[in-house]
């Protein structure tokens, strides 16, 4: 378990990454310039669903600076070639570089270089998570060939000497489309006779995934109370601050290719690209330079990454493609997109007996890397922090003619947490109990060893009572209820709402065996290598790939504490498969509980080896040595000592090592933990709802979270702040909206409402510490916790404020229009009988000057 005391771990070490990032010294993909580099732009479908009857690229080819133009058909045999032993030699890159550097408008594509037959059409997909054996997987060419299935799908690509010329030439490509009926609504899509997204699959259902634990029928038969609700998880657009981008170039030194990409997953990208594009894995190097956020959207392998690479192979020159913001809205995955039917059975005392969940999950037009698996990550989390016996879950993955969906911060778990935390409030309403009381009655008792939960997995540790009781104190719940009562009585047009969320989530995505059992295609371990150089300076090589999470700082703290060196003496190297050939990258709040822990163990292995050398240097027995603050000393003779730096120097010189000890201090460790980690917390959102305008203002936000011991409190605060902001955004502001033809009508930041600082409250956050038994540091992840915990707290608060009107739900985003409309509907529905008058105020309103129907 956690080894204390620590000098840096747990302290607010300033982020080492920030000085460069905030002074414009970042190295983003779009900053990369390589001699002879050409620029690609992509023509995208204006139709959600259409047959392509012809593509004429001839006029575009004639445009100034244009080097090549390809329609989908012309690239069809680039995918799944057999591995080429020395691809750069085949392209003749080293010979043609000079010519291309001069402007290169005369580059002609080289002929197909492999001669091997392409594999079966149906295998052409980026999908890495086949959630069921019989999942239906559509063919997904990076550039559409005969059919387009969402507005924004690539149809042709232009390569030119600069970005602007490439962009201008797009207008000269003539495409004839034969429009087909788009499939847009999830429920309609699964009706008999619905038009099909992919005719060849014969259905819009990609898969049905089910989980049944315990006697669900019995639970519902024995219930005093059942509550059934439907919630809609609107589609969200991730909007990382840096859009996607990629540069691929033949590497004359290695004879292979290098791909730079604004990605969260250089290692996975390398593996998938090598297979998809036909490269021996050791002939591809993938580098993730500085990456300006991802929020899950860059946990993917995209058409444009494959396209840039094969264009570079085909043309034999470096190729850059950088997404613009409009493309980002259309062509980078979306998140959420679910219809959730949830039902609980309970006793009159509010004790839950069972839960049924049925989902329709929008896959969009194609299956991206993890798309089908996202709702399955949530499948285990609908029971939340509550103990009961019977659980039944079923999810149908549905194709629609919309942008594909995949992981977006929280990925499946915000959806689950929302549904369970909303239905707990519904149960409270039904049983006449306070929402706090229902939660208390159903919590698992505190536990610090693995414990079975209703969905059949084991939680690692938890103390839900502690976080809830503390957040109640922090928010002064009683005083808030008192204020609410007073405002209701006074008929205040600003009604107070208090919303709870007591969430847990599954993160630290790891155990390889469990991921495999869920049919996920990737391993879940993580690698770290810690090496002390001859000078005593330290390098940490990690397989994680940060894009805003501060791993350089956190891993430095962990290594510095273990080695007893200064935090500034540690360099952290990441995001380059040539430096860290092994890694499973960053997502699922896994980096600390898997990758950070690997750093901790590898650094301790360095100390174990250093101890042997130090004992030899001090002519003492190993067991007599003490190690503190970077110095080995002989117990009882503190003057006999040697620093870790001196040991590193001796290990490097290797002229006086103990028998059997190899030179240098360099140790690596692959950590594959026995379980996920399950952080948890209790949040209270306090809103003021303007009953005249429907405007919701978050007045206060309180959170008590538990992610085990904290490595860097400043980073954890930042993760929670950003995470809660994204949850609030889902609850109140953001939604990807399509019109009836399948056009994305929220295709820019003007229409898609991303909250800024003025919309967000000041957070009051505290933490409790319940260590996880799944790793030697006891840590749990925190990168998604805020996004998972916050949406139900906000909506519960909004509904709480509106409860005097008989309003029991408002769909997300709870925009002023929806809230106002809900108030109007409630009055129309029950005019005169509800405890609210038509002015939009509760019945107790005393302001007699208000006119009938006087709302605006
Ligand atoms: N940390 C800590 N102590 C803990 C837990 C975490 O000090 N007990 C620190 C870690 O050391 C690390 C950071 O918090 O520096 C996040 O660690 P972790 O929870 O392991 O999450 P990951 O690093 O794996 O990050 C992934 C997670 C996910 S899944 C999304 S989505 C997300 C997020 O992190 N996207 C982000 N945070 C983001 N932050 C930024 N700025 N940009 C994104 O795109």
């Amino acid at each position: 378990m956690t080894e204390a005391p620590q000098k840096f771990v747990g302290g607010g070490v300033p982020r080492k990454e920030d000085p460069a990032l905030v002074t414009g010294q970042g190295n983003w993909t779009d900053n990369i310039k390589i001699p002879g580099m050409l620029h690609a732009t992509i023509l995208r479908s204006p139709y959600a669903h259409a047959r392509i009857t012809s593509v004429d690229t001839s006029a575009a080819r004639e445009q100034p600076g244009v080097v090549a133009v390809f329609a989908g058909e012309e690239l069809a045999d680039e995918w799944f070639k057999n591995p080429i032993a020395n691809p750069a030699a085949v392209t003749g890159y080293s010979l043609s570089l000079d010519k291309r550097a001069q402007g290169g408008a005369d580059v002609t594509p080289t002929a197909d270089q492999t001669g091997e037959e392409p594999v079966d059409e149906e295998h052409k997909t980026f999908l890495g998570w086949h959630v069921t054996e019989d999942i239906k997987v559509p063919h997904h060419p990076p550039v559409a060939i005969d059919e387009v299935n969402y507005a924004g799908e690539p149809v042709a690509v232009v390569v030119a000497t600069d970005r602007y010329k490439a962009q201008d030439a797009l207008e000269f490509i003539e495409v004839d489309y034969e429009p087909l009926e788009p499939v847009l609504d999830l429920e309609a899509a699964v009706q008999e006779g619905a038009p099909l997204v992919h005719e060849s699959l014969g259905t819009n259902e990609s898969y049905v995934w089910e989980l049944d634990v315990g006697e669900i029928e019995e639970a519902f038969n024995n219930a005093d109370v059942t509550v059934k609700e439907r919630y809609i998880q609107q589609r969200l657009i991730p909007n990382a601050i840096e859009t996607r981008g990629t540069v691929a170039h033949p590497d004359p030194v290695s004879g292979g290719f290098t791909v730079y990409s604004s990605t969260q997953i250089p290692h996975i990208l390398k593996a998938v690209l090598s297979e998809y594009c036909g490269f021996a894995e050791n002939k591809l190097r993938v580098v993730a330079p500085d990456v300006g956020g991802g929020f899950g959207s860059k946990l993917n392998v995209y058409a444009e990454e494959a396209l840039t690479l094969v264009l570079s192979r085909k043309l034999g020159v470096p190729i850059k493609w950088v997404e613009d913001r409009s493309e980002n809205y259309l062509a980078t995955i979306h998140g959420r997109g679910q219809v959730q039917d949830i039902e609980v059975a309970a006793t009159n005392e509010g004790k839950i007996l069972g839960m049924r969940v049925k989902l329709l999950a929008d896959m969009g037009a194609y299956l991206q890397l993890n798309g089908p698996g996202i709702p399955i990550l949530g499948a285990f989390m609908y029971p939340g922090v509550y103990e009961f016996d019977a659980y039944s879950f079923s999810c149908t993955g549905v194709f629609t003619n919309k942008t594909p969906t995949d992981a977006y911060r929280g990925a499946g778990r915000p959806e689950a947490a929302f549904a369970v935390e909303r239905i707990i409030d519904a149960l409270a309403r039904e049983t006449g109990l306070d929402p706090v009381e229902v939660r208390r009655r159903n919590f698992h008792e505190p536990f610090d060893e693995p414990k079975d939960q209703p969905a059949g997995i084991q939680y690692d540790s938890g103390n839900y009572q502690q976080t809830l009781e503390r957040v109640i104190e922090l928010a002064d719940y009683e005083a808030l209820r008192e204020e609410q009562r007073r405002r209701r009585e006074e008929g205040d047009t600003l009604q107070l709402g208090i919303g709870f969320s007591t969430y847990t989530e599954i993160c630290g995505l790891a155990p390889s065996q469990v991921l495999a059992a869920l049919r996920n295609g990737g391993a879940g371990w993580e690698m770290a290598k810690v090496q002390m150089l001859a000078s005593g300076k330290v390098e940490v090589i990690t397989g994680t790939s940060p894009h805003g999470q501060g791993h350089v700082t956190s891993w430095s703290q962990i290594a510095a504490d273990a080695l007893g060196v200064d935090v500034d003496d540690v360099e952290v190297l990441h995001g380059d498969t040539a430096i860290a050939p092994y890694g499973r990258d960053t997502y699922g709040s896994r980096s600390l509980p898997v990758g950070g822990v690997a750093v901790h163990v590898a650094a301790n292995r360095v100390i174990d080896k250093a101890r042997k050398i130090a004992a030899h240097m001090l002519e003492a027995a190993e067991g007599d040595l003490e190690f503190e603050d970077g110095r080995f000393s002989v117990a009882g003779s503190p003057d006999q000592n040697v620093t870790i730096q001196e040991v590193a120097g001796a290990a490097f010189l290797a002229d006086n090592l103990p028998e059997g000890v190899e030179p240098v201090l360099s140790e690596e460790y692959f950590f594959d933990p026995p379980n996920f980690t399950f952080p948890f917390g209790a949040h209270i959102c306090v809103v003021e709802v303007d009953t005249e305008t429907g405007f919701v203002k978050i007045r206060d936000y309180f959170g008590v979270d538990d992610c085990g011991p904290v490595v860097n409190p400043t980073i954890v605060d930042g993760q929670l702040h950003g995470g809660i902001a994204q949850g609030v955004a889902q609850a109140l502001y953001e939604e990807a909206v399509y019109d009836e033809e399948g056009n994305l009508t929220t295709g820019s930041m003007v229409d898609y409402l991303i909250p800024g600082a003025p919309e967000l409250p000041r957070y009051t956050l505290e933490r409790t510490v319940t260590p996880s038994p799944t790793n030697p540091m006891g840590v749990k992840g925190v990168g998604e916790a805020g996004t998972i915990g916050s949406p139900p707290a906000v909506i519960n608060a909004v509904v709480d404020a509106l409860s005097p009107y008989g309003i029991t739900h408002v769909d997300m985003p709870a925009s002023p229009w929806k809230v106002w409309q809900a108030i109007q509907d409630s009055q129309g529905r029950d005019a005169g009988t509800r405890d609210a008058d038509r002015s939009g105020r509760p019945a107790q309103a005393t302001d007699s000057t208000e006119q009938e129907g006087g709302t605006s």
Side-chain angles (χ1 to χ4, degrees):
M1 195 40 60
T2 326
E3 288 150 27
Q6 317 241 38
K7 190 167 166 191
F8 297 109
V9 169
V13 175
R15 283 179 27 126
K16 294 167 85 174
E17 300 81 344
D18 287 349
L21 294 178
V22 299
T23 55
Q25 308 300 306
N27 181 32
W28 315 103
T29 299
D30 200 18
N31 295 134
I32 293 165
K33 294 188 176 67
I34 300 176
M37 188 170 76
L38 301 179
H39 300 259
T41 54
I42 292 168
L43 183 72
R44 297 184 180 277
S45 168
Y47 288 97
H49 199 191
R51 218 161 264 134
I52 299 173
T53 51
S54 75
V55 184
D56 181 355
T57 57
S58 55
R61 284 176 207 268
E62 299 308 315
Q63 297 308 304
V66 170
V67 174
V69 185
F70 299 102
E73 185 71 56
E74 294 160 293
L75 295 169
D77 60 3
E78 288 296 324
W79 319 121
F80 282 89
K81 288 164 177 277
N82 273 3
I84 306 164
N86 192 345
V90 182
T91 63
Y93 172 73
S94 42
L95 298 176
S96 54
L97 185 61
D98 287 348
K99 190 167 133 200
R100 310 285 149 72
Q102 288 156 18
D106 57 345
V107 175
T108 41
T110 55
D112 177 20
Q113 290 108 9
T114 67
E116 293 292 332
E117 286 296 307
V119 298
D120 233 9
E121 288 289 281
E122 71 187 65
H123 294 119
K124 290 184 182 174
T125 164
F126 298 115
L127 178 62
W129 197 343
H130 293 70
V131 292
T132 59
E133 208 169 335
D134 58 353
I135 183 171
K136 307 256 181 332
V137 184
H139 175 43
H140 184 189
V143 183
I145 297 176
D146 39 29
E147 190 172 305
V148 284
N149 285 300
Y150 66 95
E153 184 168 357
V155 172
V157 55
V158 171
V159 181
T161 49
D162 75 42
R163 164 80 191 248
Y164 302 98
K165 291 185 174 119
Q167 190 78 32
D168 288 347
L170 292 178
E171 288 180 25
F172 293 85
I173 302 174
E174 297 282 337
V175 185
D176 286 330
Y177 296 97
E178 191 183 298
L180 298 167
E181 194 174 343
V183 179
L184 301 170
D185 179 74
L186 281 182
E187 285 185 286
V190 293
Q191 298 303 314
E192 195 69 30
L196 297 177
V197 177
H198 302 284
E199 198 70 46
S200 61
L201 298 181
T203 172
N204 288 323
E205 288 187 13
S206 174
Y207 66 89
V208 178
W209 192 96
E210 289 171 330
L211 176 68
D212 289 291
V213 182
E215 302 301 323
I216 195 72
E217 294 305 328
E218 199 181 304
F220 275 82
N221 290 339
N222 293 340
D224 301 322
V225 184
T226 62
V227 193
K228 190 171 182 184
E229 300 265 304
R230 165 168 284 205
Y231 305 124
I232 307 295
Q233 293 286 331
Q234 78 272 32
R235 268 182 176 248
L236 299 177
I237 300 179
N239 267 302
I241 204 162
E242 182 201 17
T243 58
R244 290 185 295 121
T246 176
V247 175
H249 73 93
D251 182 343
V253 179
S254 72
F257 275 70
T258 298
V259 176
Y260 295 87
S261 183
S262 176
T263 181
Q264 298 175 219
I265 52 163
H267 297 92
I268 297 172
L269 181 61
K270 171 175 157 158
V272 176
L273 283 183
S274 70
E275 193 191 358
Y276 198 91
C277 302
F279 287 86
E281 207 180 340
N282 57 3
K283 288 293 173 192
L284 262 193
R285 172 184 174 200
V286 175
V287 183
D290 283 329
V291 175
F295 308 115
S297 70
K298 294 174 183 169
L299 158 55
N300 230 305
V301 178
Y302 283 99
E304 295 86 354
E305 288 167 319
L307 192 55
T308 309
L309 177 58
V310 302
L311 289 173
S312 179
R313 175 172 69 193
K314 215 168 163 62
L315 301 178
V317 290
I319 303 282
K320 177 189 278 187
W321 169 79
V322 174
E323 184 183 56
D324 66 27
R325 186 59 67 180
S326 309
E327 288 180 292
N328 180 256
Y329 273 78
L330 291 169
T332 290
I333 59 96
H334 292 177
R336 319 285 189 259
Q338 293 182 2
V339 177
Q340 306 172 293
D341 286 307
I342 178 167
E343 197 174 2
V344 292
T347 64
N348 280 330
E349 290 70 44
K351 183 80 193 80
I352 301 172
L353 303 173
M355 176 186 282
R356 274 198 200 109
V357 176
K358 246 179 172 334
L359 303 185
L360 292 179
D362 189 353
M363 298 289 106
Y366 298 102
L367 301 180
Q368 280 286 349
L369 189 68
N370 292 304
I374 300 307
I376 311 310
L377 278 178
F380 300 97
M381 299 316 297
Y382 281 84
V385 290
Y386 311 110
E387 186 160 30
F388 52 90
D389 289 334
Y391 176 60
S392 162
F393 173 93
S394 140
C395 172
T396 305
V398 182
F399 292 115
T400 56
N401 289 111
K402 295 182 184 173
T403 299
T405 61
D406 206 311
Y408 174 47
R409 201 170 194 172
R413 292 99 85 206
E415 295 92 315
F418 183 83
V420 60
E421 289 305 298
R422 286 286 298 122
I423 205 153
I424 287 286
D425 268 30
L427 181 60
R429 192 178 64 234
E430 206 61 33
T431 51
L433 292 164
D434 189 290
V436 170
E437 196 46 38
V438 179
R439 287 174 167 84
R440 282 184 185 133
R441 291 184 187 184
N442 287 287
F443 279 162
H444 292 271
E445 287 301 316
F447 56 105
D448 52 17
E449 287 299 323
K451 169 153 206 257
D452 292 341
Q453 56 86 275
I457 57 171
Q458 286 196 321
Y459 286 158
D460 56 349
S461 60
N463 188 339
Y464 312 130
Q465 291 76 358
Q466 203 181 3
T467 49
L468 177 61
E469 299 312 327
R470 180 62 194 136
V471 82
I472 284 173
E473 268 173 35
L474 212 54
D476 198 351
Y477 182 47
E478 271 312 307
L480 286 171
R481 283 283 179 227
E482 186 47 44
E483 181 185 343
Q484 183 181 56
R485 255 191 303 276
R486 182 172 47 76
R487 287 189 180 211
R488 284 181 182 169
E489 279 165 20
E490 288 170 1
D492 198 331
T493 53
L494 291 183
Q495 284 294 313
L496 197 72
I498 307 153
F500 283 83
S501 162
T502 46
Y503 74 94
T504 181
E505 58 131 333
I506 182 169
C507 76
L509 288 196
S512 298
Q513 285 187 5
V514 178
L515 294 179
L518 292 172
R519 308 179 64 87
N520 179 295
W525 44 260
E526 194 48 85
M527 187 278 325
K529 188 172 185 177
V530 175
Q531 47 198 33
M532 291 197 78
L533 307 178
S535 59
K537 300 289 183 192
V538 179
E539 285 177 344
V540 171
I541 295 167
T542 175
T544 66
S545 198
H547 43 282
Q549 295 89 348
H551 296 177
V552 168
T553 308
S554 293
W555 294 189
S556 296
Q557 292 172 262
I558 294 169
D561 271 350
L563 300 173
V565 302
D566 193 79
V567 76
D568 288 331
D569 282 341
V570 183
E571 284 297 317
V572 177
L573 308 175
H574 62 82
D576 183 342
T577 62
I579 293 174
Y582 293 106
R584 302 310 296 159
D585 306 316
T586 288
Y587 45 85
S589 304
R590 68 185 302 273
S591 302
L592 177 61
V594 195
V597 171
V599 174
H600 170 83
V601 177
N604 279 307
R605 285 185 169 187
V606 166
I607 293 301
D608 291 345
K609 181 171 177 183
R611 186 184 298 276
K612 287 189 176 59
I613 300 170
H616 185 71
M617 290 166 80
L618 294 168
E619 296 179 351
E622 246 186 86
D624 291 342
L625 291 194
E626 288 168 351
F627 181 66
E628 206 185 319
D629 254 349
R631 192 177 288 272
F632 290 100
S633 54
V634 180
S637 326
D639 291 346
Q640 260 187 291
N641 65 64
V642 60
T643 65
I644 183 79
Q645 288 85 356
E646 288 165 332
V647 177
F652 181 85
L653 289 176
D655 54 349
N656 182 22
L657 292 177
E659 182 92 22
V661 172
E662 292 173 18
V664 309
L665 291 182
S666 172
E667 295 292 324
E668 67 181 7
Y669 184 66
F670 289 77
F671 184 46
D672 200 345
N675 197 357
F676 305 94
T677 68
F678 298 87
F680 57 91
H683 288 195
I684 296 180
C685 179
V686 183
V687 298
E688 284 175 348
V689 178
D690 187 328
T691 53
E692 294 186 326
T693 64
F695 185 80
V696 176
K697 177 175 176 239
I698 300 183
R699 192 179 79 177
D700 281 306
Y701 198 99
F702 303 92
V704 177
D705 299 279
D706 193 320
C707 55
V710 161
V711 172
N712 189 310
T714 313
I715 291 179
V716 168
D717 283 345
Q719 289 295 314
L720 285 165
H721 290 182
I724 295 170
Q726 276 173 312
V728 167
Q730 171 166 23
L732 295 182
Y733 301 106
E734 297 186 12
E735 179 171 24
V737 179
Y738 286 83
D739 68 15
E740 67 281 4
E741 289 174 348
N743 300 303
L744 181 67
T745 58
T746 51
S748 79
M749 286 189 184
V750 175
D751 316 292
Y752 186 88
L753 212 58
I754 301 172
E759 280 78 41
L760 295 165
R762 185 168 282 278
Y763 309 115
T764 306
L765 301 182
E766 277 192 9
R767 284 186 279 277
T768 57
V769 178
T770 308
S772 172
T774 59
N775 66 71
M777 294 177 73
V779 290
K780 305 184 179 193
V782 80
E784 296 157 292
T787 312
I788 292 165
S790 55
V794 178
I795 297 296
N796 281 341
V798 172
V799 173
D800 181 54
L802 298 175
S803 59
Y805 297 87
I807 292 168
T808 57
H809 185 63
V810 180
D811 277 333
M812 297 188 289
S815 61
W817 166 254
K818 275 191 209 152
V819 171
W820 183 81
Q821 194 62 56
I823 294 171
Q824 304 313 303
D825 289 352
S826 74
Q827 291 159 15
R829 202 169 53 224
D830 272 348
T833 56
R834 282 272 166 221
D835 51 354
D837 70 19
R838 294 197 61 205
S839 67
R841 295 178 180 194
Q844 301 94 326
T846 52
D847 181 357
S848 55
T849 61
E850 191 67 46
Q851 299 297 305
E852 269 269 293
T855 50
S856 55

